[in-house]
Amino acid sequence: MNIFNKPGSSIKGRATRLKGAKEAQIARLIILISLCCFQYWLLVTTMEAKHSGPKNIAIITLIVSLLCFVLVFGLFITGELGIKKLNHEMEKDD
Amino acid sequence: MNNDGNKWKTDFPFSNDIDDYVTRRDFIRFLTVVSGGFVVGNATIVASSLESETAKNYSALEICDTNALKNGEWLVFNYPDASTPAILIKNEAGNYLAFSQKCPHLACPVAYHRSSSEEPEHIGCHCHNGKFNCDTGVGTAGPPKELRPLSQIELKIVENKIIATGFKQRKSLNA
């Protein structure tokens, strides 16, 4: 198969897809870093609450932290699947 | 064809700075593990706070003799269990006071400070320069000012022995 005649599988198309994948990965990374910073803040807040503050917020922070982890894990899985899909498409084009 | 993806490294043993770079993908994997670690940490804190809520019955503990401390001196003892540090203070007025040694901010150990030319006697936390009122344990400066006071231990003096009998009820934050 001549990949240069197929739309989306040309050298230019491949470069565009790779660039898009890279940008998506960077966006994912920025969101992940933000979520981790938020989780760190939650952890410190929970510790302060345990020692001195209203203890009932500890459960709430745990739930929110768990939701953040679900988001992080979701982003990680979509990233991994995206890379696999991209590799698969590239191999198919070749 | 050789399936070993690292064969080229043995064929061309040249190192490059870029070999040590962490890829975005690896960094995302690392952050996922970190995120999981935060959840585990949070869960551990919740579990330990639930455990301490259930252990409300404190036994009496003999700390020391009344003549063991002079005015403006203090000592560290463990209460209510062997791993929880607390401080016994004989303030400059001669009254005995005892508090948990854990700062309500981030659990650093607090220490008693006698009055000086600059400030009156107080309990201080070295980590973030927090200060507490020596008589009540209420935060007067630094991060503890916004938080609950130090847990105060009830004391009883029986036949020249100072005995810890439990914790005083703290006022709520909103009170």
Side-chain angles (χ1 to χ4, degrees), chain A residues 22 25-26 28-29 32-33 35-37 39-40 42-44 46-55 58-59 61-62 65-66 68-70 72-73 75-76 79-80 83-84 87, chain B residues 23-46 48-50 52-53 56 102-107 143 147-149 151 170 173:
Chain A
K22 182 185 162 189
Q25 198 79 333
I26 291 170
R28 220 170 262 128
L29 196 57
L32 251 68
I33 291 169
L35 284 169
C36 280
C37 289
Q39 278 188 294
Y40 174 71
L42 282 174
L43 185 71
V44 174
T46 315
M47 199 153 86
E48 284 189 9
K50 181 187 178 263
H51 292 303
S52 58
K55 289 187 178 176
I59 304 274
T61 54
L62 174 63
S65 187
L66 202 61
C68 287
F69 175 66
V70 170
V72 167
F73 196 70
L75 283 169
F76 163 69
E80 290 289 310
I83 290 165
K84 268 187 188 162
N87 286 341
Chain B
T23 62
R24 274 182 287 271
R25 198 177 175 189
D26 284 341
F27 193 46
I28 284 176
R29 283 175 184 158
F30 169 73
L31 285 179
T32 308
V33 174
V34 168
S35 173
F38 283 140
V39 175
V40 172
N42 241 322
T44 310
I45 293 170
V46 170
S48 67
S49 67
L50 288 175
S52 63
E53 281 289 306
K56 287 270 183 192
K102 277 185 187 176
C103 176
H105 181 219
L106 288 175
L147 302 170
R148 281 189 180 182
S151 300
R170 291 192 294 195
L173 273 178

Side-chain angles (χ1 to χ4, degrees), chain B residues 126-144:
Chain B
H126 301 284
C127 288
H128 301 95
N129 207 20
K131 285 172 188 168
F132 302 87
N133 182 303
C134 195
D135 298 321
T136 59
V138 174
T140 54

